[in-house]
Amino acid sequence: MSTPSIPPAAGTALAIVRVASPWYAPDALITRIFRRSIGDYEPIHELQRKLYTLSEDRRYGGIYLWSGMARMQAHFSPEWAQRVRERRGSDPNVRLWHAPFVLAGPSALRGRPVGARSFYEAHAAATLTLFPRPQADAAPARLAELYDALDGLAWAAVLCSEAGHIGMLHVWSAEASADGLTSSRWLAQAQREFGSAAHERYRVPVWMGPG
């Protein structure tokens, strides 16, 4: 396991949004909708990164890395949720997290440019690992210490909630690279210290921000 240079704890925050896909909408159509929406997000200076996501359970959405919790909460307001409900016909599921550590990986996300800082046909993936039991205040820093810069990893973020739950988001340059997480030494050690983890996996056909 590599020993990363852990950056100071930051005030960044991360949101995971999921919405049920219409039964008639194939993934290719949803990806085109993603691309058309890029202009709505690129001007938001506080939005550092956005991953447009698709999952096997027919839900689409996004993973948003923000410069601060307050700005993120202001964006995902009740008015925003109402607009999603009216436009998409389904209530959005929104989870908000503090992201005190954002860690670089050895790979970079690649794709075809669209917009000023966005790309598509990335064939990237994201995995979310969550530990269900509340942890001590020092747990996020410990999770960052365990970080392993795995092959194919672009970046990762340590997550923590107000209730003390922790987890980590891994962002991969290719879907096949994500397969290495389940057998990694990082996961084995993290589960020894924090208990059995639950996993979510997303395809990332479009993304915005640094790779």
Side-chain angles (χ1 to χ4, degrees):
M1 183 179 295
S2 63
T3 302
S5 176
I6 303 299
T12 48
L14 187 137
I16 300 172
V17 177
R18 304 181 75 206
V19 182
S21 301
W23 64 268
Y24 55 83
D27 288 351
L29 173 60
I30 294 173
T31 298
R32 287 198 294 271
I33 294 171
F34 287 166
R35 291 177 56 188
R36 290 200 298 266
S37 77
I38 284 170
D40 297 334
Y41 294 98
E42 285 193 337
I44 304 176
H45 176 71
E46 299 90 345
L47 182 57
Q48 299 178 357
R49 291 170 165 140
K50 179 180 178 181
L51 310 175
Y52 291 81
T53 61
L54 296 166
S55 56
E56 295 301 324
D57 61 355
R58 292 290 299 159
R59 292 183 181 273
Y60 69 94
I63 297 171
Y64 304 71
L65 183 68
W66 293 83
S67 60
M69 177 63 75
R71 181 64 180 87
M72 180 173 70
Q73 290 174 326
H75 179 84
F76 295 111
S77 64
E79 293 76 17
W80 171 87
Q82 179 62 29
R83 290 194 299 270
V84 172
R85 190 177 303 113
E86 292 172 353
R87 293 169 60 186
R88 308 303 182 198
S90 179
D91 288 322
N93 175 270
V94 183
R95 288 173 287 175
L96 306 182
W97 300 84
H98 295 281
F101 300 96
V102 179
L103 307 164
S107 299
L109 298 184
R110 302 189 184 279
R112 298 175 61 183
V114 52
R117 56 184 180 120
S118 301
F119 302 82
Y120 73 105
E121 293 186 355
H123 306 293
T127 52
L128 178 66
T129 303
L130 298 175
F131 299 92
R133 297 198 305 270
Q135 306 291 336
D137 290 344
R142 176 57 182 156
L143 201 57
E145 290 175 357
L146 295 175
Y147 171 71
D148 190 3
L150 300 165
D151 289 343
L153 186 65
W155 58 276
V158 175
L159 308 179
C160 58
S161 72
E162 297 290 346
H165 297 96
I166 62 169
M168 183 173 278
L169 175 79
H170 289 86
V171 181
W172 308 88
S173 59
E175 290 184 51
S177 298
D179 295 337
L181 178 67
T182 54
S183 60
S184 68
R185 288 179 292 172
W186 172 83
L187 181 60
Q189 181 62 37
Q191 290 193 130
R192 280 195 293 270
E193 296 195 22
F194 302 117
S196 296
H199 301 278
E200 298 175 14
R201 181 165 171 161
Y202 303 94
R203 285 175 287 138
V204 181
V206 180
W207 60 275
M208 184 191 83

